[in-house]
Amino acid sequence: RFSDERVEASRNFANKIWNAARFILMNLGDDEKAPHIPEGLALEDKWILSLYNDLVKDVTDSLEKYELGMAVQKLYDFIWDVFCAWYIELSKIRLGGDDEKAKETAKAVLVYVMSNTLKLLHPFMPFITEEIYLALVPEEESLMMSSWPVYKEEWNFPADENVMEHIKAITKGIRNVRAEMDVPNSRKTKVYVVCQDEALCNGIE
């Protein structure tokens, strides 16, 4: 069934992918390594890797069952609502800071998750994914020749996921209160969080 709204939504999704890729490429140097996962991961790195790991499993399972619509929806939700809306925004803090090690870790995770998510998306959007993948991983001949992502048990970080979900909930709550009280985005606000769970408190700090 043809729908103008779906065409427009798909166009917006393609633009979102392009913009995410441009941001990553803008922050990469000429001496970047091939996609890899470094040591010393931050909380948000473990969170995005854990969710990416689940995505690999879910998309692969859906494709094997010919549930194409479900596979596409999972990819859409991850790219738009998780990777772009949260992880890229969080990475800007480290990329704009003075800690070179933190910068390199953020860049490595950005490239790894983006390039491998493009592999999962490739069956549905072959041209844009191929173009961006070769820009991110120029040493490879083609995305079509690369290996399919695989689920890795060691990338399960449930505790870090839990902490990040609480941080997201706090952030959304603050944004809602600011919107209700008509506080302009340019105005800084002090926030005090009461935390009774030691593990969560450490993560939030």
Side-chain angles (χ1 to χ4, degrees):
R1 291 174 293 176
F2 183 81
S3 165
D4 288 332
E5 290 77 13
R6 290 204 171 204
V7 173
E8 184 177 351
S10 298
R11 180 202 62 189
N12 293 341
F13 182 51
N15 286 339
K16 195 76 171 178
I17 297 170
W18 276 117
N19 290 336
R22 286 194 191 99
F23 171 78
I24 295 171
L25 291 167
M26 180 179 67
N27 285 281
L28 297 183
D30 296 330
D31 57 346
E32 297 298 330
K33 301 177 182 178
H36 68 289
I37 296 300
E39 296 181 354
L41 297 173
L43 168 67
E44 59 266 32
D45 299 329
K46 293 180 179 179
W47 168 74
I48 195 66
L49 280 174
S50 195
L51 294 184
Y52 158 77
N53 203 33
D54 291 339
L55 179 72
V56 170
K57 185 177 184 299
D58 292 342
V59 171
T60 302
D61 288 347
S62 294
L63 288 176
E64 288 176 350
K65 297 174 183 176
Y66 298 100
E67 296 173 343
L68 306 184
M70 188 173 294
V72 171
Q73 188 61 52
K74 290 180 182 298
L75 283 161
Y76 181 95
D77 292 342
F78 177 82
I79 293 171
W80 192 293
D81 298 329
V82 178
F83 186 69
C84 292
W86 285 96
Y87 185 73
I88 284 182
E89 294 303 315
L90 289 168
S91 73
K92 291 178 180 178
I93 300 171
R94 285 184 288 168
L95 293 174
D98 299 324
D99 188 333
E100 291 300 322
K101 172 63 177 173
K103 283 185 184 180
E104 293 306 312
T105 300
K107 288 192 285 185
V109 175
L110 281 166
V111 172
Y112 188 91
V113 174
M114 181 72 176
S115 60
N116 281 283
T117 301
L118 290 173
K119 294 180 183 181
L120 299 173
L121 186 62
H122 184 70
F124 308 100
M125 300 175 71
F127 302 110
I128 185 175
T129 51
E130 179 78 24
E131 183 76 14
I132 295 175
Y133 183 82
L134 292 181
L136 289 171
V137 195
E139 63 272 16
E140 289 202 19
E141 181 181 355
S142 170
L143 187 158
M144 290 186 292
M145 303 295 290
S146 64
S147 58
W148 184 258
V150 294
Y151 177 84
K152 297 184 179 182
E153 191 64 43
E154 63 269 24
W155 285 357
N156 279 335
F157 301 108
D160 298 275
E161 280 191 53
N162 188 34
V163 172
M164 269 302 303
E165 291 305 319
H166 278 77
I167 293 174
K168 285 173 62 181
I170 292 170
T171 304
K172 290 176 181 177
I174 294 170
R175 288 173 179 170
N176 289 339
V177 171
R178 287 174 63 95
E180 290 171 4
M181 299 182 68
D182 259 344
V183 178
N185 292 330
S186 58
R187 182 176 176 183
K188 292 185 178 181
T189 307
K190 287 186 178 181
V191 177
Y192 299 91
V193 179
V194 178
C195 186
Q196 297 178 336
D197 187 307
E198 183 177 351
L200 288 177
C201 290
N202 291 335
I204 291 173
E205 287 176 357

PDB file of all heavy atoms in Angstrom, residues 52-53 55-57 60 112 115-121 146-152:
ATOM      1  N   TYR A  52      23.207  -2.478  20.868  1.00  0.00           N
ATOM      2  CA  TYR A  52      23.591  -2.893  19.511  1.00  0.00           C
ATOM      3  C   TYR A  52      23.667  -4.412  19.428  1.00  0.00           C
ATOM      4  O   TYR A  52      23.227  -5.020  18.449  1.00  0.00           O
ATOM      5  CB  TYR A  52      24.936  -2.270  19.129  1.00  0.00           C
ATOM      6  CG  TYR A  52      25.638  -3.020  18.038  1.00  0.00           C
ATOM      7  CD1 TYR A  52      25.235  -2.900  16.707  1.00  0.00           C
ATOM      8  CD2 TYR A  52      26.686  -3.885  18.339  1.00  0.00           C
ATOM      9  CE1 TYR A  52      25.864  -3.623  15.703  1.00  0.00           C
ATOM     10  CE2 TYR A  52      27.318  -4.609  17.342  1.00  0.00           C
ATOM     11  CZ  TYR A  52      26.907  -4.476  16.032  1.00  0.00           C
ATOM     12  OH  TYR A  52      27.520  -5.200  15.042  1.00  0.00           O
ATOM     13  N   ASN A  53      24.233  -5.024  20.460  1.00  0.00           N
ATOM     14  CA  ASN A  53      24.351  -6.483  20.499  1.00  0.00           C
ATOM     15  C   ASN A  53      22.974  -7.149  20.423  1.00  0.00           C
ATOM     16  O   ASN A  53      22.772  -8.123  19.690  1.00  0.00           O
ATOM     17  CB  ASN A  53      25.066  -6.884  21.789  1.00  0.00           C
ATOM     18  CG  ASN A  53      25.727  -8.244  21.704  1.00  0.00           C
ATOM     19  OD1 ASN A  53      26.206  -8.650  20.651  1.00  0.00           O
ATOM     20  ND2 ASN A  53      25.766  -8.947  22.818  1.00  0.00           N
ATOM     21  N   LEU A  55      20.377  -5.765  19.116  1.00  0.00           N
ATOM     22  CA  LEU A  55      19.868  -5.475  17.779  1.00  0.00           C
ATOM     23  C   LEU A  55      20.350  -6.506  16.770  1.00  0.00           C
ATOM     24  O   LEU A  55      19.575  -6.965  15.923  1.00  0.00           O
ATOM     25  CB  LEU A  55      20.326  -4.075  17.346  1.00  0.00           C
ATOM     26  CG  LEU A  55      19.885  -3.629  15.950  1.00  0.00           C
ATOM     27  CD1 LEU A  55      18.390  -3.321  15.936  1.00  0.00           C
ATOM     28  CD2 LEU A  55      20.685  -2.407  15.498  1.00  0.00           C
ATOM     29  N   VAL A  56      21.613  -6.869  16.853  1.00  0.00           N
ATOM     30  CA  VAL A  56      22.169  -7.883  15.943  1.00  0.00           C
ATOM     31  C   VAL A  56      21.374  -9.177  16.046  1.00  0.00           C
ATOM     32  O   VAL A  56      20.979  -9.773  15.036  1.00  0.00           O
ATOM     33  CB  VAL A  56      23.655  -8.145  16.265  1.00  0.00           C
ATOM     34  CG1 VAL A  56      24.170  -9.361  15.489  1.00  0.00           C
ATOM     35  CG2 VAL A  56      24.495  -6.922  15.935  1.00  0.00           C
ATOM     36  N   LYS A  57      21.131  -9.600  17.269  1.00  0.00           N
ATOM     37  CA  LYS A  57      20.385 -10.840  17.491  1.00  0.00           C
ATOM     38  C   LYS A  57      18.953 -10.726  16.980  1.00  0.00           C
ATOM     39  O   LYS A  57      18.458 -11.623  16.280  1.00  0.00           O
ATOM     40  CB  LYS A  57      20.384 -11.181  18.979  1.00  0.00           C
ATOM     41  CG  LYS A  57      19.730 -12.518  19.333  1.00  0.00           C
ATOM     42  CD  LYS A  57      19.855 -12.780  20.826  1.00  0.00           C
ATOM     43  CE  LYS A  57      19.294 -14.152  21.185  1.00  0.00           C
ATOM     44  NZ  LYS A  57      17.864 -14.290  20.869  1.00  0.00           N
ATOM     45  N   THR A  60      18.776 -10.377  13.024  1.00  0.00           N
ATOM     46  CA  THR A  60      19.137 -11.651  12.400  1.00  0.00           C
ATOM     47  C   THR A  60      18.015 -12.668  12.554  1.00  0.00           C
ATOM     48  O   THR A  60      17.656 -13.366  11.595  1.00  0.00           O
ATOM     49  CB  THR A  60      20.437 -12.200  13.016  1.00  0.00           C
ATOM     50  OG1 THR A  60      21.485 -11.232  12.851  1.00  0.00           O
ATOM     51  CG2 THR A  60      20.858 -13.491  12.335  1.00  0.00           C
ATOM     52  N   TYR A 112      32.398   1.987  15.095  1.00  0.00           N
ATOM     53  CA  TYR A 112      32.076   0.560  15.145  1.00  0.00           C
ATOM     54  C   TYR A 112      30.577   0.318  15.078  1.00  0.00           C
ATOM     55  O   TYR A 112      30.099  -0.487  14.269  1.00  0.00           O
ATOM     56  CB  TYR A 112      32.646  -0.074  16.416  1.00  0.00           C
ATOM     57  CG  TYR A 112      32.498  -1.575  16.418  1.00  0.00           C
ATOM     58  CD1 TYR A 112      33.496  -2.381  15.910  1.00  0.00           C
ATOM     59  CD2 TYR A 112      31.346  -2.181  16.908  1.00  0.00           C
ATOM     60  CE1 TYR A 112      33.359  -3.758  15.867  1.00  0.00           C
ATOM     61  CE2 TYR A 112      31.193  -3.549  16.873  1.00  0.00           C
ATOM     62  CZ  TYR A 112      32.207  -4.337  16.357  1.00  0.00           C
ATOM     63  OH  TYR A 112      32.047  -5.704  16.313  1.00  0.00           O
ATOM     64  N   SER A 115      29.079   1.614  11.560  1.00  0.00           N
ATOM     65  CA  SER A 115      29.439   0.795  10.403  1.00  0.00           C
ATOM     66  C   SER A 115      28.770  -0.569  10.429  1.00  0.00           C
ATOM     67  O   SER A 115      28.315  -1.075   9.399  1.00  0.00           O
ATOM     68  CB  SER A 115      30.966   0.636  10.315  1.00  0.00           C
ATOM     69  OG  SER A 115      31.494   0.006  11.464  1.00  0.00           O
ATOM     70  N   ASN A 116      28.669  -1.161  11.606  1.00  0.00           N
ATOM     71  CA  ASN A 116      28.049  -2.485  11.689  1.00  0.00           C
ATOM     72  C   ASN A 116      26.528  -2.420  11.637  1.00  0.00           C
ATOM     73  O   ASN A 116      25.880  -3.350  11.149  1.00  0.00           O
ATOM     74  CB  ASN A 116      28.524  -3.207  12.954  1.00  0.00           C
ATOM     75  CG  ASN A 116      29.905  -3.802  12.786  1.00  0.00           C
ATOM     76  OD1 ASN A 116      30.088  -4.830  12.164  1.00  0.00           O
ATOM     77  ND2 ASN A 116      30.898  -3.110  13.324  1.00  0.00           N
ATOM     78  N   THR A 117      25.949  -1.321  12.106  1.00  0.00           N
ATOM     79  CA  THR A 117      24.509  -1.154  11.968  1.00  0.00           C
ATOM     80  C   THR A 117      24.140  -0.975  10.501  1.00  0.00           C
ATOM     81  O   THR A 117      23.081  -1.423  10.044  1.00  0.00           O
ATOM     82  CB  THR A 117      24.016   0.043  12.799  1.00  0.00           C
ATOM     83  OG1 THR A 117      24.361  -0.166  14.177  1.00  0.00           O
ATOM     84  CG2 THR A 117      22.505   0.201  12.698  1.00  0.00           C
ATOM     85  N   LEU A 118      25.028  -0.319   9.727  1.00  0.00           N
ATOM     86  CA  LEU A 118      24.802  -0.183   8.287  1.00  0.00           C
ATOM     87  C   LEU A 118      24.749  -1.543   7.595  1.00  0.00           C
ATOM     88  O   LEU A 118      24.009  -1.727   6.630  1.00  0.00           O
ATOM     89  CB  LEU A 118      25.914   0.671   7.665  1.00  0.00           C
ATOM     90  CG  LEU A 118      25.914   2.160   8.025  1.00  0.00           C
ATOM     91  CD1 LEU A 118      27.164   2.834   7.478  1.00  0.00           C
ATOM     92  CD2 LEU A 118      24.662   2.853   7.494  1.00  0.00           C
ATOM     93  N   LYS A 119      25.514  -2.499   8.097  1.00  0.00           N
ATOM     94  CA  LYS A 119      25.471  -3.857   7.531  1.00  0.00           C
ATOM     95  C   LYS A 119      24.091  -4.475   7.727  1.00  0.00           C
ATOM     96  O   LYS A 119      23.561  -5.133   6.829  1.00  0.00           O
ATOM     97  CB  LYS A 119      26.527  -4.744   8.191  1.00  0.00           C
ATOM     98  CG  LYS A 119      27.964  -4.339   7.914  1.00  0.00           C
ATOM     99  CD  LYS A 119      28.921  -5.282   8.620  1.00  0.00           C
ATOM    100  CE  LYS A 119      30.364  -4.868   8.423  1.00  0.00           C
ATOM    101  NZ  LYS A 119      31.297  -5.807   9.093  1.00  0.00           N
ATOM    102  N   LEU A 120      23.516  -4.250   8.912  1.00  0.00           N
ATOM    103  CA  LEU A 120      22.189  -4.793   9.197  1.00  0.00           C
ATOM    104  C   LEU A 120      21.119  -4.117   8.345  1.00  0.00           C
ATOM    105  O   LEU A 120      20.132  -4.738   7.948  1.00  0.00           O
ATOM    106  CB  LEU A 120      21.856  -4.607  10.683  1.00  0.00           C
ATOM    107  CG  LEU A 120      22.780  -5.292  11.700  1.00  0.00           C
ATOM    108  CD1 LEU A 120      22.409  -4.866  13.115  1.00  0.00           C
ATOM    109  CD2 LEU A 120      22.716  -6.806  11.566  1.00  0.00           C
ATOM    110  N   LEU A 121      21.335  -2.834   8.054  1.00  0.00           N
ATOM    111  CA  LEU A 121      20.363  -2.065   7.281  1.00  0.00           C
ATOM    112  C   LEU A 121      20.519  -2.274   5.773  1.00  0.00           C
ATOM    113  O   LEU A 121      19.590  -2.017   5.007  1.00  0.00           O
ATOM    114  CB  LEU A 121      20.524  -0.578   7.617  1.00  0.00           C
ATOM    115  CG  LEU A 121      19.521   0.416   7.042  1.00  0.00           C
ATOM    116  CD1 LEU A 121      18.101   0.111   7.540  1.00  0.00           C
ATOM    117  CD2 LEU A 121      19.909   1.846   7.418  1.00  0.00           C
ATOM    118  N   SER A 146      31.686  -7.597   3.172  1.00  0.00           N
ATOM    119  CA  SER A 146      32.033  -7.670   4.590  1.00  0.00           C
ATOM    120  C   SER A 146      31.214  -8.751   5.293  1.00  0.00           C
ATOM    121  O   SER A 146      30.197  -9.216   4.778  1.00  0.00           O
ATOM    122  CB  SER A 146      31.795  -6.317   5.259  1.00  0.00           C
ATOM    123  OG  SER A 146      30.418  -5.980   5.222  1.00  0.00           O
ATOM    124  N   SER A 147      31.661  -9.132   6.474  1.00  0.00           N
ATOM    125  CA  SER A 147      30.982 -10.185   7.230  1.00  0.00           C
ATOM    126  C   SER A 147      29.754  -9.626   7.947  1.00  0.00           C
ATOM    127  O   SER A 147      29.733  -8.466   8.371  1.00  0.00           O
ATOM    128  CB  SER A 147      31.932 -10.807   8.250  1.00  0.00           C
ATOM    129  OG  SER A 147      32.429  -9.809   9.124  1.00  0.00           O
ATOM    130  N   TRP A 148      28.732 -10.457   8.097  1.00  0.00           N
ATOM    131  CA  TRP A 148      27.505 -10.082   8.799  1.00  0.00           C
ATOM    132  C   TRP A 148      27.794  -9.998  10.293  1.00  0.00           C
ATOM    133  O   TRP A 148      28.499 -10.841  10.857  1.00  0.00           O
ATOM    134  CB  TRP A 148      26.430 -11.118   8.520  1.00  0.00           C
ATOM    135  CG  TRP A 148      25.087 -10.813   9.092  1.00  0.00           C
ATOM    136  CD1 TRP A 148      24.529 -11.357  10.209  1.00  0.00           C
ATOM    137  CD2 TRP A 148      24.105  -9.899   8.567  1.00  0.00           C
ATOM    138  NE1 TRP A 148      23.280 -10.845  10.427  1.00  0.00           N
ATOM    139  CE2 TRP A 148      22.990  -9.934   9.436  1.00  0.00           C
ATOM    140  CE3 TRP A 148      24.077  -9.047   7.461  1.00  0.00           C
ATOM    141  CZ2 TRP A 148      21.850  -9.170   9.226  1.00  0.00           C
ATOM    142  CZ3 TRP A 148      22.941  -8.269   7.254  1.00  0.00           C
ATOM    143  CH2 TRP A 148      21.847  -8.343   8.121  1.00  0.00           C
ATOM    144  N   PRO A 149      27.277  -8.987  10.987  1.00  0.00           N
ATOM    145  CA  PRO A 149      27.508  -8.869  12.432  1.00  0.00           C
ATOM    146  C   PRO A 149      26.988 -10.096  13.192  1.00  0.00           C
ATOM    147  O   PRO A 149      25.978 -10.695  12.810  1.00  0.00           O
ATOM    148  CB  PRO A 149      26.700  -7.621  12.814  1.00  0.00           C
ATOM    149  CG  PRO A 149      26.592  -6.834  11.549  1.00  0.00           C
ATOM    150  CD  PRO A 149      26.496  -7.854  10.447  1.00  0.00           C
ATOM    151  N   VAL A 150      27.687 -10.435  14.267  1.00  0.00           N
ATOM    152  CA  VAL A 150      27.288 -11.584  15.090  1.00  0.00           C
ATOM    153  C   VAL A 150      27.100 -11.146  16.535  1.00  0.00           C
ATOM    154  O   VAL A 150      27.756 -10.216  17.016  1.00  0.00           O
ATOM    155  CB  VAL A 150      28.328 -12.723  15.021  1.00  0.00           C
ATOM    156  CG1 VAL A 150      28.383 -13.302  13.619  1.00  0.00           C
ATOM    157  CG2 VAL A 150      29.707 -12.236  15.445  1.00  0.00           C
ATOM    158  N   TYR A 151      26.194 -11.820  17.208  1.00  0.00           N
ATOM    159  CA  TYR A 151      25.910 -11.559  18.617  1.00  0.00           C
ATOM    160  C   TYR A 151      27.092 -12.020  19.468  1.00  0.00           C
ATOM    161  O   TYR A 151      27.659 -13.095  19.253  1.00  0.00           O
ATOM    162  CB  TYR A 151      24.640 -12.321  19.016  1.00  0.00           C
ATOM    163  CG  TYR A 151      24.266 -12.207  20.465  1.00  0.00           C
ATOM    164  CD1 TYR A 151      23.537 -11.128  20.927  1.00  0.00           C
ATOM    165  CD2 TYR A 151      24.628 -13.203  21.366  1.00  0.00           C
ATOM    166  CE1 TYR A 151      23.178 -11.029  22.270  1.00  0.00           C
ATOM    167  CE2 TYR A 151      24.263 -13.118  22.697  1.00  0.00           C
ATOM    168  CZ  TYR A 151      23.538 -12.038  23.142  1.00  0.00           C
ATOM    169  OH  TYR A 151      23.196 -11.945  24.459  1.00  0.00           O
ATOM    170  N   LYS A 152      27.486 -11.185  20.463  1.00  0.00           N
ATOM    171  CA  LYS A 152      28.611 -11.517  21.329  1.00  0.00           C
ATOM    172  C   LYS A 152      28.166 -11.472  22.785  1.00  0.00           C
ATOM    173  O   LYS A 152      27.736 -10.424  23.272  1.00  0.00           O
ATOM    174  CB  LYS A 152      29.767 -10.545  21.098  1.00  0.00           C
ATOM    175  CG  LYS A 152      30.334 -10.605  19.685  1.00  0.00           C
ATOM    176  CD  LYS A 152      31.540  -9.700  19.529  1.00  0.00           C
ATOM    177  CE  LYS A 152      32.098  -9.792  18.116  1.00  0.00           C
ATOM    178  NZ  LYS A 152      33.302  -8.942  17.955  1.00  0.00           N
TER     179      LYS A 152
END
